[in-house]
Amino acid sequence: MVVAGRRYYSGRDVDRAVTIADLQAMARRRLPAFVMEYLEGGAEDEWTLRRNREVFSEIEFRPSTLTGVGIPDLSTTIFGRKMRLPFIVAPTGFNGLFQYQGDRLLAEAAAKAGVTFTQSTVSNMRIEELSGIPNLSHWMQLYVFRSQAFMDELVGRAEKAGCQALMVTTDAATFGNREWDRRNYRSGMDPAFRHKLDILCHPRWALSVMARGIPPFGNLLDFLPADQQTFARTAIWSREQVEPDLHWTHIRRLRKIWKKPLIVKGVMTLRDAELAADAGADGIVISNHGGRQLDGAPSPITILPKIAGKLKGRITILADSGFRRGTDIVKALALGADAVMTGRATLYGLAAGGEAGATRAITVLEEEIRRTMALLGCRSVADLDRDHIKF
């Protein structure tokens, strides 16, 4: 129900953001429409994008009372490492489009909050530029490319930089059809005339990002001649070089050369979760790529109970896509996830206010998780189970 006079805060003070939706409203005010479309849009009719959010309204809580909760402990352990909070910043590419040096700002916010940050292959900064951030728990996401030399070098760089886990994205061998995003451009990456005019209406963003030039994808630069190391050229190269014939053999090969935790992202069936475990993966991410790839795919949280019921304890189970509230994260934990990955939620904070905005997004989620667990009567993440929800 919409009540007259109600609206989300959309000013500049990130500390006034009460929810992720407030940070989303702030981001919409600051970013040009074509940039916001890149952040928020999905594939084709966006059925999956909508379903990712709608499904949470079908899950009810079953609270226990008089349990002497006190202040709930939100920590959990993933791959033998204690995590202060049960969520991880998901890998997202092109963060430099939202803020100058967006990858660094997001990673610094995560490090200060004690949250793991996952860097994308197509981040705008090199692995080495982020690895020195104090107290950063640093994971690296990997797209599988045709060039074995590139793959070996990137994995080697991640190892040398001290990355603690490698996450292989498997659902993007074919690029999703993001129709609304495509309508924003005349050709290639050249925005339509109306969007060029719209940039003039967003001077804070233009001075932060456009004035410095659109940043290229830092991890790809070494494989391009010096005169082709532009954003447009690196974007084209990455699309041309993604391996279309992706198979479990690629996972098994990576398992041989990467000795730390290996995670397969893009799992959507129990059978594939079992194959990931058989191939030597330490973890999986149940994911539909935030509704940006196959439209018509189900929400990961509907797949989660079946996979957790069979593989919980054998393999680390993560989930992403559609998480905007601490209540969403608690529901996933109760359904068997070991932790959740947040993409757009923390990006809204980044886009709204840089590091401070990303920090505020993390704080909002933390407060919501703690409050929800207290109201459920749960002292710790380990206490959450199917008895606390109806689905």
Side-chain angles (χ1 to χ4, degrees):
M1 180 178 68
V2 178
V3 178
R6 282 186 172 179
R7 60 184 179 183
Y8 294 113
Y9 176 74
S10 61
R12 298 186 183 185
D13 183 359
V14 294
D15 288 334
R16 291 186 60 186
V18 177
T19 65
I20 298 299
D22 288 317
L23 292 168
Q24 180 184 22
M26 295 171 69
R28 281 180 177 166
R29 181 173 179 177
R30 180 177 173 274
L31 299 180
F34 79 100
V35 178
M36 198 66 188
E37 175 62 47
Y38 171 74
L39 194 167
E40 295 196 296
E44 298 182 351
D45 293 320
E46 298 185 331
W47 182 90
T48 294
L49 182 71
R50 292 190 297 274
R51 180 62 179 162
N52 283 344
R53 290 297 305 134
E54 293 168 353
V55 69
F56 287 106
S57 66
E58 300 169 13
I59 306 173
E60 298 177 1
F61 284 124
R62 289 175 167 171
S64 299
T65 192
L66 298 174
T67 59
V69 173
I71 300 176
D73 178 7
L74 309 192
S75 67
T76 189
T77 300
I78 302 293
F79 303 133
R81 290 177 176 266
K82 187 172 182 179
M83 300 171 56
R84 196 178 71 83
L85 299 172
F87 62 89
I88 297 154
V89 176
T92 50
F94 211 1
N95 292 341
L97 187 63
F98 309 126
Q99 292 277 0
Y100 176 65
Q101 294 196 336
D103 294 297
R104 177 182 298 280
L105 299 178
L106 187 54
E108 288 177 342
K112 291 175 182 177
V115 172
T116 293
F117 170 80
T118 314
Q119 186 174 358
S120 171
T121 295
V122 290
S123 61
N124 296 118
M125 304 189 76
R126 297 173 182 266
I127 304 171
E128 297 80 3
E129 291 180 280
L130 301 186
S131 62
I133 293 174
N135 303 315
L136 179 65
S137 175
H138 193 186
W139 291 3
M140 186 65 197
Q141 177 269 344
L142 186 70
Y143 287 113
V144 178
F145 285 77
R146 298 173 191 264
S147 170
Q148 198 62 65
F150 174 79
M151 294 290 293
D152 289 347
E153 178 179 304
L154 196 61
V155 171
R157 286 171 55 197
E159 169 68 28
K160 188 175 181 180
C163 293
Q164 298 158 359
L166 188 69
M167 180 178 293
V168 187
T169 295
T170 64
D171 60 357
T174 297
F175 198 71
N177 184 22
R178 301 164 199 171
E179 297 169 350
W180 288 105
D181 191 36
R182 290 168 56 194
R183 290 185 177 100
N184 291 328
Y185 300 90
R186 294 178 55 196
S187 62
M189 298 301 294
D190 182 28
F193 181 69
R194 70 181 186 280
H195 291 300
K196 292 180 179 178
L197 290 178
D198 189 38
I199 290 173
L200 300 177
C201 298
H202 296 82
R204 285 195 299 143
W205 176 85
L207 291 173
S208 168
V209 177
M210 289 297 289
R212 295 179 169 97
I214 300 296
F217 300 125
N219 292 312
L220 311 183
L221 295 180
D222 292 345
F223 279 76
L224 291 167
D227 61 347
Q228 297 186 40
Q229 294 181 357
T230 62
F231 160 71
R233 186 65 196 115
T234 53
I236 292 169
W237 187 89
S238 66
R239 291 200 184 190
E240 291 174 343
Q241 291 299 315
V242 168
E243 174 59 74
D245 191 22
L246 194 56
H247 197 267
W248 290 107
T249 54
H250 291 92
I251 303 301
R252 286 190 284 270
R253 184 183 184 280
L254 286 168
R255 176 70 288 172
K256 291 180 180 179
I257 65 174
W258 178 261
K259 304 306 179 184
K260 298 179 184 180
L262 179 67
I263 307 161
V264 176
K265 181 176 182 290
V267 171
M268 286 293 286
T269 67
L270 174 59
R271 176 59 177 158
D272 282 346
E274 292 173 329
L275 288 172
D278 292 342
D282 301 286
I284 58 170
V285 184
I286 308 172
S287 172
N288 61 33
H289 214 104
R292 294 164 74 83
Q293 286 296 99
L294 177 63
D295 198 28
S299 169
I301 205 162
T302 65
I303 311 298
L304 172 59
K306 188 174 183 179
I307 292 177
K310 195 72 178 291
L311 296 178
K312 183 77 170 181
R314 180 183 172 190
I315 195 169
T316 295
I317 301 171
L318 309 175
D320 72 9
S321 303
F323 292 87
R324 299 288 189 278
R325 277 196 177 272
T327 49
D328 302 335
I329 293 172
V330 171
K331 288 173 181 178
L333 296 172
L335 286 169
D338 293 297
V340 162
M341 304 201 75
T342 62
R344 290 184 178 95
T346 40
L347 286 184
Y348 287 138
L350 174 69
E355 181 188 331
T359 295
R360 184 59 188 157
I362 293 170
T363 300
V364 165
L365 293 174
E366 177 181 356
E367 291 172 347
E368 290 181 343
I369 294 169
R370 180 172 287 108
R371 181 167 50 247
T372 301
M373 287 176 55
L375 291 170
L376 280 174
C378 294
R379 296 184 181 186
S380 69
V381 170
D383 289 342
L384 290 166
D385 58 30
R386 288 295 299 268
D387 288 340
H388 292 104
I389 57 171
K390 180 182 177 181
F391 184 33

